Amino acid sequence: MAKIIDGKLVSASIRASVADEVKALRENGICPTLAVILVGDDPASAVYVRNKQKACIETGIEPIQITLPKETTESELLSKIDELNRDSKIHGILVQLPLPEHISEEKVISKINPEKDVDAFTHESVGRIVEGKYSFLPCTPAGIMKLLEYYEIDVAGKECVVIGRSNIVGKPMALLLLNASGTVTVCHSKTKNLSEVTKRADILIVAVGKAKFVTADMVKEGAVVVDVGINRMPDGKLAGDVDFDSVSSVASLLTPVPGGVGPMTIAMLMCNTVFAAKRAHNNKKA
Ligand code: GUN
């Protein structure tokens, strides 16, 4: 049976050290502040945003919650971001995705000042990730790297397979694994003989958005399997992209859903916000 990778435990220890850092910053008059913008009423997004807000409060970060109606125009949203860009009290800006269809995500992300880009979604942040010269770490992939580190899984030289090529997870995940000297393959909907590829993986990262997509026959004996998916099942329960029950009989280590990657994403967001606050303060001094 696979050992469980406990994202709750690891994320709690990261949040505790963020809280210590925030306390010290506040004693020096710096109050790390994160603005989170939610447009529309997507219920899943509302839950994610609430969890981000809770983590801010727990770590002492000041959350600024901006909720806009789904009819908000693109130019209204861009003006709001502009206002937050110019506000020196705001250190991080996060626009929850997806946005309503009439708003261009690319335009909105490009508007965020890269110095406040705590999601690491702007062209500047992505370029830095490609070069391995991080300022902000992409939250979900960075959270996964922390889990691998915590469980002493050395990526160097390992066969790493990522299923999914999104800009948020798949692509930056592949880059972080590559920067850690893994041998990386990215699979997607057009990949032929998917299970032949996934069976090569020592480390398998699954981010496809389809419940229980990866089954035991797709996994090598002893592989480390990381499940990024969060899918709501007809019975209301959450399930990952990995068929947990069958895969746990072949994997050596496996993340659960919930309680695996999800809490790590939020913990890394808190780290990025503190980093942004410290850098803004140091730039002011210089
Ligand atoms: N929607 C789903 N995941 C994310 C994320 O990590 N950041 C933002 N801004 N939106 C998301």
Side-chain angles (χ1 to χ4, degrees):
M1 275 305 259
K3 184 172 159 187
I4 301 300
I5 297 178
D6 189 344
K8 268 199 208 165
L9 176 88
V10 183
S11 65
S13 84
I14 293 172
R15 287 199 309 276
S17 57
V18 168
D20 288 344
E21 234 180 317
V22 172
K23 188 162 173 274
L25 287 169
R26 280 181 176 264
E27 279 162 11
N28 282 305
I30 304 157
C31 172
T33 301
L34 173 65
V36 176
I37 305 179
L38 174 64
V39 186
D41 43 23
D42 176 59
S45 291
V47 172
Y48 296 143
V49 164
R50 203 158 47 236
N51 288 339
K52 288 168 187 175
Q53 205 172 5
K54 265 198 235 162
C56 282
I57 292 163
E58 186 198 324
T59 51
I61 291 170
E62 188 73 28
I64 307 280
Q65 167 78 40
I66 298 150
T67 307
L68 301 171
K70 62 175 182 301
E71 301 78 24
T72 302
T73 65
E74 187 176 276
S75 74
E76 283 167 340
L77 180 55
L78 294 174
S79 307
K80 188 74 210 171
I81 294 170
D82 209 25
E83 189 189 306
L84 298 168
N85 281 341
R86 282 186 274 105
D87 186 341
S88 62
K89 292 191 294 302
I90 305 283
H91 302 111
I93 302 171
L94 180 146
V95 180
Q96 186 66 28
L97 302 178
L99 287 168
E101 266 181 21
H102 64 278
I103 300 178
S104 156
E105 288 186 356
E106 200 197 337
K107 268 197 207 162
V108 167
I109 289 167
S110 298
K111 190 75 179 172
I112 297 170
N113 176 351
E115 299 277 311
K116 302 188 179 190
D117 176 26
V118 286
D119 256 329
F121 286 172
T122 60
H123 294 304
E124 161 138 358
S125 298
V126 174
R128 286 178 169 276
I129 296 163
V130 171
E131 292 179 353
K133 294 179 193 150
Y134 307 105
S135 63
F136 293 115
L137 293 161
C139 298
T140 299
I144 292 169
M145 295 305 284
K146 284 271 179 206
L147 287 176
L148 296 177
E149 209 178 288
Y150 183 90
Y151 285 89
E152 298 179 340
I153 298 149
D154 188 11
V155 173
K158 296 272 167 57
E159 285 283 345
C160 304
V161 175
V162 180
I163 318 181
R165 56 173 158 178
S166 70
N167 290 338
I168 295 183
V169 183
K171 286 182 201 166
M173 185 74 248
L175 288 165
L176 295 201
L177 291 165
L178 183 61
N179 291 344
S181 302
T183 301
V184 184
T185 306
V186 182
C187 299
H188 46 78
S189 53
K190 298 278 191 294
T191 298
K192 298 211 170 74
N193 305 321
L194 178 65
S195 55
E196 267 174 37
V197 183
T198 59
K199 273 195 103 119
R200 290 208 303 261
D202 301 309
I203 299 170
L204 179 61
I205 315 281
V206 190
V208 277
K210 289 187 183 151
K212 305 185 185 188
F213 179 80
V214 168
T215 45
D217 56 305
M218 298 167 73
V219 177
K220 180 164 91 174
E221 187 79 37
V224 174
V225 180
V226 176
D227 188 349
V228 184
I230 305 180
N231 307 284
R232 182 74 62 186
M233 302 303 281
D235 64 3
K237 289 199 184 129
L238 293 178
D241 292 350
V242 173
D243 180 25
F244 186 91
D245 293 338
S246 75
V247 171
S248 65
S249 61
V250 276
S252 61
L253 279 157
L254 175 60
T255 59
V257 176
V261 173
M264 294 300 294
T265 298
I266 295 183
M268 299 317 293
L269 175 66
M270 301 299 109
C271 294
N272 281 348
T273 305
V274 169
F275 172 82
K278 283 197 291 194
R279 187 171 58 180
H281 182 70
N282 290 338
N283 288 346
K284 223 173 359 185
K285 275 197 305 195

